[in-house]
Amino acid sequence: MSVNKKEIVHLAKLSNLYLSEEEIEKYAKDLTEIIDFASMINSVNTDEINETIAANENFNVFRKDQVIPSMDRNLLLQNAPSQDDGMFRIPKVLN
Amino acid sequence: MSLLDYEVIIGLEVHCELSTKTKIYCSCPTTFGAEPNTQCCPICMAMPGTLPVLNEKVVEYAVKAGLATNCKIARNSKSDRKNYFYPDLPKAYQISQFDLPLCYDGFINIETDEGEKTIGITRIHIEEDAGKLNHDEFGRGTFVDLNRAGVPLIEVVSEPDLRSKEEAESYLRKLKSIFEYIGISDCKMQEGSLRADVNVSVRKKGSAKFGTRTEMKNMNSFRSISRAIEYEANRQIEVIENGGIIEQETLRWDDISGKTFSMRDKEEAQDYRYFPEPDLAAIKLSDEYIENIKKSLPELPESRKKRYLLDMNLTEKAAKFVTDSKYFSNLFEEASSICNNPKAVSNWIMSDIARILNEREEEPEDIRFSGKELGELVSLIDKGTISSAIAKKILEEMFENPENPSKIIEKKGWVQISDENAIKEIVNKILEANPQSIIDYKAGKDKALGFLVGQAMKETKGKANPQILNKLFLEGILGDNSVK
């Protein structure tokens, strides 16, 4: 399977990445190789194997609905590049 | 071609915040209205290395919602990542459910002008709410509050079975009422704990194919939803009539102008790249678990309504009105058990209580007195201790300062005057002052009696027993020995 340049541009956009023409070419080639590598698993015969819905074999790992006090706000915000009124301040976002 | 040649198709995706004590994947509290970012931890903030752990109550509440809406419950379910960039979501993905929701294939019945109608529920899944972005009006940027990030939600997706704005409203009200009854959410629309994405399309009547739909997100009042549906359906019909085509897109409803607008950043088709959430284990539910939740469900509005119709002799209208809200219904049941007069209780709820709530811009859940007090109020009228005019004043007072009606009467000196001699004195005084009313009444103008009774009520500040007043006035007008 090959990944074309159009798909790379689309993926880059979804990932908020800005790629140069050379990078697009390179990633198209790299991603094709990665997918080809991963596709090897398709050759395994799974007829006798039950369908799994998660990679992890655990299930029902739950927590009780009991409050643990939240963290101090100053600590949480200490690495924020910009803050105001106890909130993260970020460049204006349009609706 | 006119509007009448078209059919409107509506589907709702209802988001409902669950009233758990803690968030869905961490132990932070979920209280509404806290100071920004004070109900957060490194998990809410998506700090590197943090791991979510599912709140067991969220699963229980979602299964409750599913059972109460006739859904099938998945024995195997899992969580998935929905990827998108928006600063209200610090992980850059929302943990939701994609192909294996907890509940599916359900329905609820709604009332329409043409009778009962069944609306299909495609699925109910669990997910996390996002944070809140505060847009600064002075252009200093956007301020991010993550208290709401991670608050548990269920999303209830309906089939496109709704055909009018009235049906959409009826469906949403029914859903809200069911969720209130089973106690999984406070469903406060003004606080955003119940909100809906509305999908609208139109098609020519008789056509089997659906038209292209548009979606309006995050609507949180019945009124806006209803207006938005009407506007959007008409807009689509106009586009089609003028030979245009409807584009599938997300629209923003503007409540002030009453119009929908295309969202600016829509050039990218939705591509959430869902994949199984590797940080969370699968959910496996046993028949026993589901059966236990089924047993714990309280009586639902439909069953209560039937009981009110059959056992308590309420009218269809009254039974519906009272059961629409769990709070009304509980108030009604408690009050009726005390005064043994369900009809009177339902009348008070439908008329004066609904009116006062409306005036105060409050919801049934804001009522601070209990059914005990309301029941006592009705008993006091039934026993003749107070007139209904006084009762209305007491009710107003109960909204202000919730207290026992007897206490209010005592404090305010509002006991009904039932002493015939005392009332007779007033009656005579009023008859003397209004000879024309006597003539009018004798001439067949029944209204004159009402006028005289009104005068007496004014004189006694509403305290005179109206039955006695009526009787004495009639004696006074018709008998010859009375005006002395």
Side-chain angles (χ1 to χ4, degrees):
Chain A
M1 193 190 143
S2 83
V3 181
N4 62 36
K5 275 164 49 177
K6 207 176 138 204
E7 283 166 311
I8 294 293
V9 171
H10 177 64
L11 278 177
K13 195 161 200 172
L14 291 173
S15 319
N16 267 9
L17 293 173
Y18 300 91
L19 302 181
S20 67
E21 196 54 39
E22 296 85 68
E23 284 172 317
I24 293 171
E25 295 243 359
K26 179 174 161 27
Y27 288 137
K29 190 173 152 279
D30 288 353
L31 266 183
T32 301
E33 279 173 19
I34 290 168
I35 288 174
D36 283 344
F37 172 73
S39 297
M40 277 198 291
I41 198 143
N42 290 336
S43 63
V44 178
N45 185 335
T46 55
D47 290 349
E48 303 292 313
I49 296 171
N50 287 333
E51 193 182 346
T52 44
I53 57 169
N56 191 321
E57 281 181 8
N58 286 331
F59 59 89
N60 294 353
V61 180
F62 297 142
R63 209 187 74 238
K64 294 263 178 245
D65 186 27
Q66 279 163 0
V67 173
I68 294 176
S70 293
M71 201 180 231
D72 180 66
R73 184 167 73 182
N74 294 327
L75 276 176
L76 285 169
L77 292 174
Q78 67 179 337
N79 292 319
S82 176
Q83 52 167 299
D84 211 341
D85 288 339
M87 287 182 275
F88 295 96
R89 181 170 152 183
I90 59 170
K92 193 169 185 244
V93 177
L94 289 176
N95 284 345
Chain B
M1 279 281 168
S2 78
L3 295 186
L4 293 173
D5 298 316
Y6 285 87
E7 188 178 33
V8 183
I9 316 284
I10 304 155
L12 294 187
E13 289 162 29
V14 177
H15 290 91
C16 172
E17 276 183 7
L18 301 176
S19 50
T20 52
K21 293 191 192 81
T22 66
K23 292 190 178 179
I24 181 167
Y25 302 121
C26 70
S27 303
C28 284
T30 53
T31 330
F32 178 80
E35 281 287 303
N37 294 312
T38 54
Q39 305 200 333
C40 294
C41 70
I43 296 175
C44 310
M45 302 230 152
M47 298 288 182
T50 53
L51 286 172
V53 186
L54 182 56
N55 181 345
E56 63 179 6
K57 208 76 181 172
V58 171
V59 177
E60 182 191 322
Y61 280 7
V63 170
K64 268 190 176 172
L67 291 171
T69 53
N70 308 294
C71 283
K72 294 174 184 140
I73 307 299
R75 298 305 192 267
N76 292 301
S77 184
K78 69 171 166 73
S79 305
D80 297 275
R81 284 188 187 179
K82 179 180 180 181
N83 300 279
Y84 62 92
F85 273 118
Y86 204 60
D88 60 359
L89 202 74
K91 294 195 295 292
Y93 58 84
Q94 177 195 30
I95 305 179
S96 178
Q97 295 194 286
F98 182 55
D99 55 339
L100 295 172
L102 270 178
C103 319
Y104 58 99
D105 272 359
F107 67 87
I108 60 170
N109 294 319
I110 63 165
E111 272 132 68
T112 71
D113 292 341
E114 291 96 48
E116 200 165 78
K117 182 173 171 181
T118 300
I119 307 298
I121 288 177
T122 317
R123 56 185 280 163
I124 301 178
H125 67 252
I126 54 174
E127 61 184 27
E128 57 182 336
D129 207 345
K132 194 168 183 296
L133 299 184
N134 300 288
H135 302 284
D136 181 70
E137 51 190 304
F138 306 110
R140 291 181 304 153
T142 294
F143 297 85
V144 188
D145 171 11
L146 295 174
N147 280 348
R148 203 180 56 189
V151 168
L153 290 177
I154 49 171
E155 178 174 330
V156 185
V157 182
S158 85
E159 290 289 306
D161 289 343
L162 302 160
R163 291 289 175 275
S164 66
K165 61 181 204 278
E166 289 80 13
E167 286 186 13
E169 174 165 351
S170 180
Y171 167 79
L172 192 55
R173 283 196 189 277
K174 187 66 179 281
L175 216 52
K176 178 174 187 278
S177 151
I178 291 172
F179 293 163
E180 283 170 358
Y181 273 95
I182 60 175
I184 59 163
S185 171
D186 61 19
C187 295
K188 288 188 181 163
M189 294 184 86
Q190 68 278 18
E191 291 182 6
S193 48
L194 190 76
R195 45 192 205 258
D197 298 346
V198 184
N199 289 288
V200 177
S201 68
V202 299
R203 67 177 169 195
K204 293 239 169 81
K205 273 188 187 154
S207 157
K209 216 179 127 221
F210 286 125
T212 306
R213 68 189 161 84
T214 57
E215 183 177 22
M216 293 166 281
K217 280 191 179 289
N218 268 328
M219 315 275 299
N220 66 352
S221 86
F222 289 113
R223 200 177 113 82
S224 335
I225 290 171
S226 178
R227 288 174 69 208
I229 290 171
E230 180 165 29
Y231 175 87
E232 182 54 19
N234 289 340
R235 184 192 71 84
Q236 290 186 11
I237 292 168
E238 209 180 298
V239 169
I240 295 169
E241 284 293 295
N242 290 325
I245 43 164
I246 305 299
E247 265 186 76
Q248 181 165 345
E249 61 180 331
T250 303
L251 302 172
R252 182 174 61 83
W253 165 253
D254 182 62
D255 223 14
I256 295 161
S257 64
K259 290 178 177 171
T260 53
F261 293 94
S262 199
M263 306 260 270
R264 255 173 279 187
D265 53 341
K266 54 141 191 175
E267 74 271 17
E268 200 62 57
Q270 285 187 351
D271 187 346
Y272 293 130
R273 293 152 295 145
Y274 280 100
F275 66 88
E277 168 60 66
D279 290 343
L280 286 167
I283 304 164
K284 292 192 182 187
L285 302 180
S286 65
D287 292 347
E288 193 196 353
Y289 174 87
I290 295 164
E291 205 45 50
N292 280 336
I293 292 183
K294 205 178 239 168
K295 279 188 210 140
S296 77
L297 284 179
E299 188 186 13
L300 292 172
E302 234 154 280
S303 152
R304 284 202 192 195
K305 191 180 146 197
K306 264 186 205 134
R307 199 156 50 77
Y308 296 173
L309 284 171
L310 297 175
D311 304 347
M312 296 166 116
N313 279 320
L314 293 198
T315 60
E316 171 78 27
K317 193 181 158 210
K320 180 178 182 312
F321 191 94
V322 171
T323 51
D324 268 352
S325 155
K326 171 181 114 178
Y327 303 94
F328 275 159
S329 178
N330 289 348
L331 192 71
F332 168 77
E333 297 219 349
E334 197 183 0
S336 300
S337 74
I338 283 168
C339 66
N340 249 322
N341 190 349
K343 193 141 217 143
V345 175
S346 71
N347 284 335
W348 278 99
I349 292 176
M350 285 201 292
S351 55
D352 291 86
I353 292 180
R355 173 185 55 80
I356 296 170
L357 282 177
N358 204 15
E359 283 166 11
R360 296 168 67 95
E361 294 182 16
E362 287 181 348
E363 298 295 320
E365 55 263 41
D366 300 321
I367 297 176
R368 290 186 296 151
F369 56 84
S370 71
K372 203 170 139 259
E373 276 104 37
L374 179 62
E376 201 188 314
L377 187 72
V378 174
S379 291
L380 288 168
I381 307 167
D382 290 349
K383 279 189 276 180
T385 315
I386 51 169
S387 65
S388 47
I390 288 284
K392 281 182 197 219
K393 283 164 73 178
I394 295 173
L395 185 69
E396 301 263 1
E397 187 60 26
M398 279 159 58
F399 270 91
E400 285 301 323
N401 303 302
E403 220 174 358
N404 206 309
S406 314
K407 271 239 175 79
I408 296 176
I409 294 168
E410 200 187 302
K411 260 197 197 158
K412 304 265 178 184
W414 282 344
V415 185
Q416 177 158 281
I417 307 170
S418 295
D419 172 9
E420 284 212 19
N421 285 328
I423 296 179
K424 197 161 196 168
E425 221 172 275
I426 296 157
V427 165
N428 284 342
K429 200 174 115 193
I430 286 165
L431 283 176
E432 263 172 51
N434 298 286
Q436 187 58 41
S437 296
I438 304 177
I439 298 168
D440 286 351
Y441 185 79
K442 284 184 172 165
K445 290 185 184 162
D446 290 348
K447 267 190 184 165
L449 180 64
F451 169 75
L452 291 168
V453 171
Q455 293 298 307
M457 279 295 185
K458 219 171 175 181
E459 182 80 22
T460 59
K461 296 193 175 99
K463 288 193 281 187
N465 180 316
Q467 277 86 34
I468 299 178
L469 265 185
N470 256 315
K471 186 183 121 210
L472 293 180
F473 268 121
L474 281 176
E475 283 176 15
I477 296 170
L478 303 172
D480 10 356
N481 60 340
S482 42
V483 194
K484 273 169 195 165

